[in-house]
Structures are given as structure tokens and as C-alpha cells.
Amino acid sequence: MPTRSILAGIGAYLPARIVSNDELARTVDTTDAWIRERTGITQRHFAAKHETAAFMGAEAARAALADAGALPSDVDGIILATSTPDQAFPATAVRVQAALGVTKGFGFDIAAACAGFIYALSVADAMIRSGQARGVLVIGSEVYSRILNWEDRGTCVLFGDGAGAVFLTAGEGSGTDQGILSTHIHAQGTLGDILYVDGAVGQPDKPGHLVMHGREVFRHAVTRLAEAVEEALTANNLTAADIDWLVPHQANRRIIDAMGRKLGLPAERVVVTVEQHANTSAASVPLALHEAWKDGRIKRGELVLLEALGGGLVWGSALVRM
Ligand code: UT7
């Protein structure tokens, strides 16, 4: 039996401050009805000053280790997906390492926008399967509230802050197919201008705000994610009927519903958190996974399909036997 990456524990962190659509509508030219109807979102969490990507990532990671019954000394490496790092460098992952009291191994960030967690999972899985590490924290942590353009109602109502984490451990010889069965990641850089941040620390004078051509992204999301789902099933000789749970990126209820229909899954088998969290980019998939894990919906032995798409365009899937 080859080495597999087992999802030994899952954790999450959400800022205490909850902002409803109605509260946003007091300062933004929008309505609760428009946001609900077009996206499914009813509220989002916004970070306080101290709730940076590193702070929230460390909290989620702590919770994932506790869920796994693991200690900081079990961590061989930390891979953190974010588009809103605390600093250009050092990587947010090493800030998390210090906060957790982890004293060995590696730490680095991955910038793959809303697909960041899937990318990070893919890299961590490859490292575990190749024997480079036996315990890896994979974290998605984002503070999009800091990069939103409050003058652009087409984007500022869509995002929220938060962090999610999984602790992956090497498992072998169990005789079962538990663990990450496959990951597939993709990029199409020619579509880099339909969803981006118009600045960075390397730019002369601007930190940058999020810009999105929503309709175009929507169109590509539906097509690419459907392809990604198909790719994951084909690679594992499975059919949609084998999937127990879909845990999709939480950008828009309409996209999520379309993916559920594509898989022929009843609505209650699709994990949806976009109502409460809005779009938390790289944190959205682990936050949703955590929600359904914590409340007992997702159980050991079940087959879970994760998928996400984001600015790049970048997208991908991970198929996991819990
Ligand atoms: O996480 C990365 C991946 N991201 C996504 O997958 C997002 C994909 N895109 C979407 O989810 C949707 O395209 C949006 C939710 C962003 C927008 O929904 P839409 O149905 O595509 O609306 P639209 O942008 O075509 O705008 C429709 C109308 C426009 O008015 P007119 O031109 O028809 O008069 C907008 O000005 O809605 C207007 N509008 C708003 N009205 C009230 C746009 N934003 C708002 C708003 N409140 N916040």
C-alpha cells in the first residue's frame, strides 16, 4: 500500500465581527435582496485589526492539531495559502510556525487566490507521498476586507475573512483507501485580467484593490469546475454516484448549485457556507469542510470532493476518502 496523506484533523477560525447585508447597505449602494438573490450571501465575518492572516491561520492550525490529537512537535511543515499575507516576507506560514511553537521543518506560502487551498493540498500531498514529510499543516487564511474597493458594489459585498486548516499525516499499510486519492490543479494565465488585485508591495504606489469581471468569471467557473469534477472522477475510475459529499469553493450559491446538479447530488450532500461566510477565497473550502466535519455530517470513510476556482485563472480539485 503506497503512502497516503490522511486528513487527521480539521480546524477553523472566524473573526467575531459579523456584518449583515443590511449593515453593508447602509454605506454601499446595494440591498439585502440583491445580494441574497444573486449570490446566496446573507452575512460575512470581518477581521479586527489584530486578526491578520497569520493570527487566524495559527488559530485554525491549532484547532486542526487538537482535532487530530497531534502536537506542534508532530509538524514537519506548514503550507499556507493566502492572497492577503501579513507581510511580503517572511511568509505567513513561518509566522504561524512561530506562533504554534513548531521548531522544525519548512514553511512557505502559496498564492493561488481562491484555489489556494487546493493548490496547497496538492503540494503537501506530493511531499508526503514522496517521503519528504510525515505531518503537514495546510492552511487557507484570508483578510479580503483589507483589499476590497468600497466604491465597487459589484465586489465589496461578496467577500469575508476567515481561516481553515487541515493536518495531514502520512498513513500506509492500512489496507483501506483512506486519504487523499488525487489532486488536479490548473492555471490559465491568459485570463489573468478578469479577476485580480491592482497592486502589491512591489508596485510603486499602491497596495491594491480587488477587481473582478463577475459575469466572465462566473461563466468560466461553471465550465472549468465541471471539467475538474469530471477529471477527478475519471482519474479514480469513479462515477458521480460514488461521491458522498461535495465541498465546493464558496463564491456564489448559483455556481455551487450548478455543480451539485452536475454530480446529481441531492442538495443536502453539498456543503454550503456561502450564506454565513461569503467568499473567503483560500479559506473557503477548509472552512466549509470544517463546518460539515464538526457538525458530524461528514464521517470517516466517506468520499469527499473538494473543488475551487480563482483569480489567475487557477482551479483544481481534490478527492479525499476521510
Ligand atoms: O472566488 C473567485 C471566483 N468568483 C466567482 O466565482 C464569482 C463569479 N461571479 C458571480 O458570482 C456573479 O457574476 C456576481 C455575483 C459577481 C454578479 O452577479 P451577476 O448576476 O453576474 O450580476 P452583474 O454583475 O451582471 O450585475 C447585474 C446588475 C447590474 O446592473 P445593470 O447593469 O443590470 O443595471 C449591476 O450594476 O446588478 C448590479 N449590481 C448590483 N446591484 C445591487 C452589481 N452589484 C450590485 C450590488 N447591489 N452589490
Side-chain angles (χ1 to χ4, degrees), residues 6-74:
I6 312 291
L7 269 70
I10 307 171
Y13 179 87
L14 286 161
R17 183 167 172 233
I18 294 174
V19 177
S20 68
N21 292 343
D22 283 329
E23 185 179 342
L24 269 191
R26 280 185 225 132
T27 49
V28 178
D29 178 20
T30 189
T31 60
D32 174 54
W34 189 94
I35 302 171
R36 275 177 201 260
E37 194 182 304
R38 300 291 176 125
T39 70
I41 297 165
T42 63
Q43 61 169 50
R44 70 286 292 141
H45 292 247
F46 279 160
K49 206 167 180 184
H50 70 284
E51 289 170 317
T52 64
F55 177 90
M56 297 194 298
E59 291 295 319
R62 245 180 230 118
L65 288 177
D67 185 44
L71 297 169
S73 54
D74 297 320

Side-chain angles (χ1 to χ4, degrees), residues 2-265:
T3 302
R4 279 269 173 75
S5 310
I6 312 291
L7 269 70
I10 307 171
Y13 179 87
L14 286 161
R17 183 167 172 233
I18 294 174
V19 177
S20 68
N21 292 343
D22 283 329
E23 185 179 342
L24 269 191
R26 280 185 225 132
T27 49
V28 178
D29 178 20
T30 189
T31 60
D32 174 54
W34 189 94
I35 302 171
R36 275 177 201 260
E37 194 182 304
R38 300 291 176 125
T39 70
I41 297 165
T42 63
Q43 61 169 50
R44 70 286 292 141
H45 292 247
F46 279 160
K49 206 167 180 184
H50 70 284
E51 289 170 317
T52 64
F55 177 90
M56 297 194 298
E59 291 295 319
R62 245 180 230 118
L65 288 177
D67 185 44
L71 297 169
S73 54
D74 297 320
V75 178
D76 296 326
I78 301 173
I79 306 179
L80 188 145
T82 190
S83 300
T84 46
D86 289 28
Q87 297 161 288
F89 71 84
T92 306
V94 306
R95 296 296 192 194
V96 169
Q97 188 201 42
L100 295 178
V102 174
T103 53
K104 66 172 173 16
F106 57 85
F108 59 90
D109 291 356
I110 281 190
C114 299
F117 183 77
I118 303 286
Y119 266 61
L121 208 57
S122 183
V123 174
D125 178 46
M127 294 182 83
I128 286 177
R129 279 190 292 104
S130 69
Q132 288 189 70
R134 296 190 59 81
V136 181
L137 275 167
V138 180
I139 306 167
S141 187
E142 300 278 21
V143 276
Y144 267 47
S145 60
R146 316 248 214 261
I147 58 165
L148 294 174
N149 174 2
W150 298 104
E151 306 293 311
D152 177 13
R153 68 177 183 169
T155 55
C156 71
V157 303
L158 305 175
F159 295 88
D161 303 332
V166 299
F167 185 51
L168 295 182
T169 56
E172 62 264 296
S174 67
T176 72
D177 66 348
Q178 189 188 13
I180 297 178
L181 305 189
S182 67
T183 62
H184 291 90
I185 52 176
H186 298 280
Q188 189 176 351
T190 52
L191 293 173
D193 288 338
I194 65 171
L195 175 52
Y196 61 99
V197 174
D198 62 356
V201 288
Q203 295 279 348
D205 52 14
K206 53 182 181 181
H209 288 121
L210 185 143
V211 182
M212 177 164 75
H213 301 280
R215 259 187 225 183
E216 245 190 291
V217 175
F218 192 102
R219 196 164 51 81
H220 286 292
V222 172
T223 318
R224 295 301 183 211
L225 290 173
E227 286 169 8
V229 163
E230 212 52 61
E231 183 181 34
L233 293 175
T234 306
N236 291 282
N237 287 318
L238 294 168
T239 68
D242 296 308
I243 303 295
D244 294 307
W245 295 98
L246 175 66
V247 183
H249 173 45
Q250 308 287 322
N252 188 314
R253 180 81 209 221
R254 289 183 287 151
I255 300 174
I256 294 170
D257 289 347
M259 285 310 121
R261 280 196 301 275
K262 155 115 191 106
L263 283 167
L265 278 174

